[in-house]
Amino acid sequence: MTHALTLEDSSTFSVLSVLLSYPEQDWLAALPELSDTLPAPARDRLDPLFAYLRGFDDVIDLQEAYVATFDRRAAHSLHLFEHVHGESRDRGQAMVDLQQEYLKHGLEPATTELPDYVPLFLEFLGQIPPQAAEDLLGDAIHVLARLGDKLAESDSPYASVFAQLRLMTAVQPEVLPDPPEGDMEETMITFGPQADGTEPLLMRRPRDGAQPIVFHPPRARAGHPNGSQT
């Protein structure tokens, strides 16, 4: 059985991206519209999170709760590759490869966030053709499911976002080992414009020779149902 993503799924990715973002008054005021954008099953699944977000009278309190959830607990980090590569040098290369994937589709993040920031990645999936989004989600679901499980263990309403993502791919998540320990190499990696304001060069590479984006260890990647790599 396969799950073919649709244009409706594209808008769902965009809503999920917003819901995982740092709380800001402007999009919190648009929660009714965001909810109406979702198909009914997804809306029902995410209702606990919508209720949670609406339950704060002061946005400052919600922002503090958000920081406590995602920034103060490594197991809840919203950076994909922290759950795979830890602080090893492989994390830097994986982010370079993901940045190239964004550029390949003509999209350059207008943010200071690193490429593996989950809200940014989900917004990207909502902007590219459904088949491409399906392939990338299938590769990343192992990490996303791990993060969702950790949030569920803490009874966080944000776990509902990752429960929804699991239903948007036919790939069954595998249990991942703990990320490796180790320090990043002392090398500055630049994402986006260079210091002089110029754009980074785009490398034209044959698709068959493209560098795979390592969302999870090789053992897990080998379990991909069709054996394909991004």
Side-chain angles (χ1 to χ4, degrees), residues 15 18-19 24-40 42-44 46-47 49-51 53-55:
V15 172
V18 173
L19 294 177
E24 298 287 359
Q25 192 60 59
D26 55 351
W27 70 256
L28 289 170
L31 283 176
E33 290 81 0
L34 291 172
S35 179
D36 290 343
T37 300
L38 295 168
R43 187 183 312 124
D44 292 343
L46 291 160
D47 186 64
L49 179 54
F50 278 102
L53 296 171
R54 291 193 300 264

Short mmCIF file of all heavy atoms in Angstrom, two decimals, residues 15 18-19 24-40 42-44 46-47 49-51 53-55:
data_model
loop_
_atom_site.label_atom_id
_atom_site.label_comp_id
_atom_site.label_asym_id
_atom_site.label_seq_id
_atom_site.Cartn_x
_atom_site.Cartn_y
_atom_site.Cartn_z
N VAL A 15 0.59 24.27 7.29
CA VAL A 15 -0.05 24.50 8.59
C VAL A 15 0.77 23.88 9.71
O VAL A 15 0.99 24.49 10.76
CB VAL A 15 -1.49 23.96 8.59
CG1 VAL A 15 -2.09 24.03 10.00
CG2 VAL A 15 -2.35 24.73 7.61
N VAL A 18 3.68 26.03 10.66
CA VAL A 18 3.32 27.17 11.51
C VAL A 18 3.09 26.72 12.94
O VAL A 18 3.56 27.35 13.90
CB VAL A 18 2.07 27.88 10.96
CG1 VAL A 18 1.60 28.97 11.91
CG2 VAL A 18 2.35 28.48 9.59
N LEU A 19 2.38 25.63 13.13
CA LEU A 19 2.04 25.17 14.47
C LEU A 19 3.28 24.81 15.29
O LEU A 19 3.26 24.90 16.52
CB LEU A 19 1.11 23.96 14.40
CG LEU A 19 -0.29 24.22 13.82
CD1 LEU A 19 -1.08 22.92 13.75
CD2 LEU A 19 -1.04 25.25 14.65
N GLU A 24 3.96 33.44 17.86
CA GLU A 24 3.89 34.87 17.59
C GLU A 24 2.41 35.27 17.52
O GLU A 24 1.57 34.50 17.05
CB GLU A 24 4.58 35.23 16.28
CG GLU A 24 6.06 34.92 16.23
CD GLU A 24 6.91 35.87 17.08
OE1 GLU A 24 6.33 36.79 17.70
OE2 GLU A 24 8.14 35.68 17.12
N GLN A 25 2.13 36.49 17.96
CA GLN A 25 0.74 36.92 18.07
C GLN A 25 0.00 36.88 16.74
O GLN A 25 -1.18 36.56 16.69
CB GLN A 25 0.67 38.33 18.65
CG GLN A 25 -0.73 38.76 19.07
CD GLN A 25 -1.32 37.85 20.14
OE1 GLN A 25 -0.74 37.72 21.22
NE2 GLN A 25 -2.45 37.22 19.86
N ASP A 26 0.71 37.22 15.64
CA ASP A 26 0.02 37.30 14.35
C ASP A 26 -0.55 35.96 13.92
O ASP A 26 -1.73 35.86 13.53
CB ASP A 26 0.93 37.89 13.27
CG ASP A 26 2.24 37.13 13.13
OD1 ASP A 26 2.52 36.24 13.96
OD2 ASP A 26 2.97 37.41 12.16
N TRP A 27 0.26 34.88 14.00
CA TRP A 27 -0.30 33.60 13.54
C TRP A 27 -1.19 32.96 14.59
O TRP A 27 -2.09 32.18 14.24
CB TRP A 27 0.78 32.66 13.03
CG TRP A 27 1.75 32.05 13.99
CD1 TRP A 27 3.05 32.41 14.19
CD2 TRP A 27 1.54 30.92 14.84
NE1 TRP A 27 3.65 31.59 15.11
CE2 TRP A 27 2.75 30.66 15.54
CE3 TRP A 27 0.45 30.08 15.08
CZ2 TRP A 27 2.90 29.63 16.45
CZ3 TRP A 27 0.59 29.04 16.00
CH2 TRP A 27 1.80 28.83 16.68
N LEU A 28 -1.00 33.30 15.84
CA LEU A 28 -1.92 32.79 16.85
C LEU A 28 -3.33 33.34 16.63
O LEU A 28 -4.32 32.65 16.84
CB LEU A 28 -1.42 33.16 18.26
CG LEU A 28 -0.17 32.41 18.73
CD1 LEU A 28 0.36 33.02 20.02
CD2 LEU A 28 -0.47 30.92 18.94
N ALA A 29 -3.39 34.58 16.17
CA ALA A 29 -4.70 35.18 15.86
C ALA A 29 -5.36 34.50 14.67
O ALA A 29 -6.58 34.59 14.49
CB ALA A 29 -4.54 36.68 15.60
N ALA A 30 -4.55 33.83 13.85
CA ALA A 30 -5.08 33.18 12.65
C ALA A 30 -5.36 31.69 12.87
O ALA A 30 -5.57 30.96 11.89
CB ALA A 30 -4.10 33.36 11.49
N LEU A 31 -5.36 31.23 14.11
CA LEU A 31 -5.59 29.80 14.37
C LEU A 31 -6.90 29.28 13.76
O LEU A 31 -6.91 28.17 13.21
CB LEU A 31 -5.57 29.53 15.88
CG LEU A 31 -4.18 29.48 16.54
CD1 LEU A 31 -4.32 29.31 18.05
CD2 LEU A 31 -3.34 28.35 15.95
N PRO A 32 -8.01 30.03 13.81
CA PRO A 32 -9.24 29.52 13.16
C PRO A 32 -9.05 29.27 11.67
O PRO A 32 -9.52 28.26 11.14
CB PRO A 32 -10.26 30.63 13.43
CG PRO A 32 -9.77 31.30 14.68
CD PRO A 32 -8.27 31.28 14.55
N GLU A 33 -8.36 30.20 11.00
CA GLU A 33 -8.14 30.02 9.56
C GLU A 33 -7.20 28.84 9.30
O GLU A 33 -7.40 28.08 8.33
CB GLU A 33 -7.54 31.30 8.96
CG GLU A 33 -8.49 32.48 8.89
CD GLU A 33 -8.63 33.23 10.21
OE1 GLU A 33 -7.97 32.81 11.21
OE2 GLU A 33 -9.39 34.20 10.25
N LEU A 34 -6.19 28.68 10.13
CA LEU A 34 -5.29 27.55 9.97
C LEU A 34 -6.03 26.23 10.14
O LEU A 34 -5.83 25.28 9.38
CB LEU A 34 -4.14 27.63 10.99
CG LEU A 34 -3.13 28.75 10.79
CD1 LEU A 34 -2.18 28.82 11.97
CD2 LEU A 34 -2.35 28.56 9.49
N SER A 35 -6.90 26.18 11.13
CA SER A 35 -7.69 24.97 11.36
C SER A 35 -8.60 24.66 10.18
O SER A 35 -8.72 23.51 9.74
CB SER A 35 -8.52 25.13 12.64
OG SER A 35 -9.32 23.99 12.88
N ASP A 36 -9.23 25.70 9.63
CA ASP A 36 -10.14 25.51 8.50
C ASP A 36 -9.41 25.03 7.25
O ASP A 36 -10.03 24.42 6.36
CB ASP A 36 -10.88 26.81 8.19
CG ASP A 36 -11.89 27.18 9.27
OD1 ASP A 36 -12.26 26.29 10.06
OD2 ASP A 36 -12.30 28.36 9.32
N THR A 37 -8.12 25.31 7.16
CA THR A 37 -7.34 24.89 5.98
C THR A 37 -7.14 23.38 5.95
O THR A 37 -6.96 22.79 4.88
CB THR A 37 -5.97 25.59 6.00
OG1 THR A 37 -6.17 27.00 5.96
CG2 THR A 37 -5.11 25.18 4.81
N LEU A 38 -7.18 22.74 7.10
CA LEU A 38 -6.88 21.31 7.20
C LEU A 38 -8.07 20.45 6.78
O LEU A 38 -9.23 20.82 7.02
CB LEU A 38 -6.51 20.96 8.64
CG LEU A 38 -5.23 21.59 9.20
CD1 LEU A 38 -5.17 21.40 10.71
CD2 LEU A 38 -4.01 20.98 8.52
N PRO A 39 -7.81 19.28 6.19
CA PRO A 39 -8.89 18.31 5.99
C PRO A 39 -9.42 17.84 7.35
O PRO A 39 -8.69 17.87 8.35
CB PRO A 39 -8.21 17.18 5.22
CG PRO A 39 -6.76 17.34 5.49
CD PRO A 39 -6.51 18.80 5.70
N ALA A 40 -10.67 17.44 7.38
CA ALA A 40 -11.33 17.13 8.65
C ALA A 40 -10.57 16.13 9.52
O ALA A 40 -10.42 16.35 10.74
CB ALA A 40 -12.75 16.64 8.39
N ALA A 42 -7.35 15.47 9.74
CA ALA A 42 -6.16 16.12 10.31
C ALA A 42 -6.57 17.15 11.36
O ALA A 42 -5.92 17.29 12.40
CB ALA A 42 -5.34 16.78 9.22
N ARG A 43 -7.66 17.87 11.09
CA ARG A 43 -8.14 18.87 12.05
C ARG A 43 -8.49 18.21 13.38
O ARG A 43 -8.13 18.70 14.45
CB ARG A 43 -9.35 19.60 11.48
CG ARG A 43 -9.81 20.78 12.32
CD ARG A 43 -11.06 21.41 11.73
NE ARG A 43 -10.92 21.64 10.31
CZ ARG A 43 -11.76 21.17 9.37
NH1 ARG A 43 -12.79 20.41 9.73
NH2 ARG A 43 -11.55 21.44 8.10
N ASP A 44 -9.17 17.08 13.31
CA ASP A 44 -9.54 16.37 14.54
C ASP A 44 -8.30 15.87 15.28
O ASP A 44 -8.22 15.92 16.51
CB ASP A 44 -10.45 15.19 14.21
CG ASP A 44 -11.81 15.62 13.70
OD1 ASP A 44 -12.17 16.80 13.91
OD2 ASP A 44 -12.51 14.79 13.09
N LEU A 46 -5.33 17.14 15.28
CA LEU A 46 -4.55 18.24 15.81
C LEU A 46 -5.34 19.11 16.79
O LEU A 46 -4.80 20.08 17.32
CB LEU A 46 -4.05 19.11 14.66
CG LEU A 46 -2.99 18.45 13.77
CD1 LEU A 46 -2.91 19.14 12.42
CD2 LEU A 46 -1.63 18.48 14.45
N ASP A 47 -6.57 18.75 17.05
CA ASP A 47 -7.41 19.56 17.93
C ASP A 47 -6.78 19.78 19.31
O ASP A 47 -6.88 20.89 19.86
CB ASP A 47 -8.80 18.94 18.07
CG ASP A 47 -9.74 19.83 18.86
OD1 ASP A 47 -10.03 20.94 18.38
OD2 ASP A 47 -10.19 19.42 19.95
N LEU A 49 -3.71 20.22 20.09
CA LEU A 49 -2.71 21.28 19.97
C LEU A 49 -3.38 22.63 19.78
O LEU A 49 -2.97 23.63 20.39
CB LEU A 49 -1.75 20.98 18.83
CG LEU A 49 -0.65 22.03 18.58
CD1 LEU A 49 0.15 22.30 19.86
CD2 LEU A 49 0.28 21.58 17.45
N PHE A 50 -4.42 22.69 18.94
CA PHE A 50 -5.13 23.95 18.77
C PHE A 50 -5.71 24.42 20.10
O PHE A 50 -5.64 25.61 20.44
CB PHE A 50 -6.25 23.79 17.73
CG PHE A 50 -5.78 23.89 16.30
CD1 PHE A 50 -5.60 22.76 15.53
CD2 PHE A 50 -5.50 25.13 15.73
CE1 PHE A 50 -5.16 22.85 14.21
CE2 PHE A 50 -5.07 25.23 14.42
CZ PHE A 50 -4.90 24.09 13.65
N ALA A 51 -6.28 23.49 20.86
CA ALA A 51 -6.86 23.84 22.16
C ALA A 51 -5.77 24.35 23.11
O ALA A 51 -5.98 25.31 23.87
CB ALA A 51 -7.58 22.63 22.76
N LEU A 53 -2.89 25.80 22.30
CA LEU A 53 -2.43 27.12 21.87
C LEU A 53 -3.44 28.21 22.21
O LEU A 53 -3.07 29.34 22.55
CB LEU A 53 -2.13 27.12 20.37
CG LEU A 53 -0.99 26.20 19.91
CD1 LEU A 53 -0.94 26.12 18.40
CD2 LEU A 53 0.35 26.69 20.47
N ARG A 54 -4.73 27.88 22.11
CA ARG A 54 -5.78 28.86 22.44
C ARG A 54 -5.92 29.07 23.94
O ARG A 54 -6.53 30.04 24.39
CB ARG A 54 -7.13 28.40 21.88
CG ARG A 54 -7.23 28.44 20.36
CD ARG A 54 -8.68 28.28 19.92
NE ARG A 54 -9.23 27.00 20.38
CZ ARG A 54 -9.29 25.89 19.64
NH1 ARG A 54 -8.81 25.91 18.40
NH2 ARG A 54 -9.81 24.78 20.12
N GLY A 55 -5.35 28.16 24.73
CA GLY A 55 -5.55 28.19 26.18
C GLY A 55 -4.69 29.18 26.93
O GLY A 55 -4.86 29.34 28.15
#
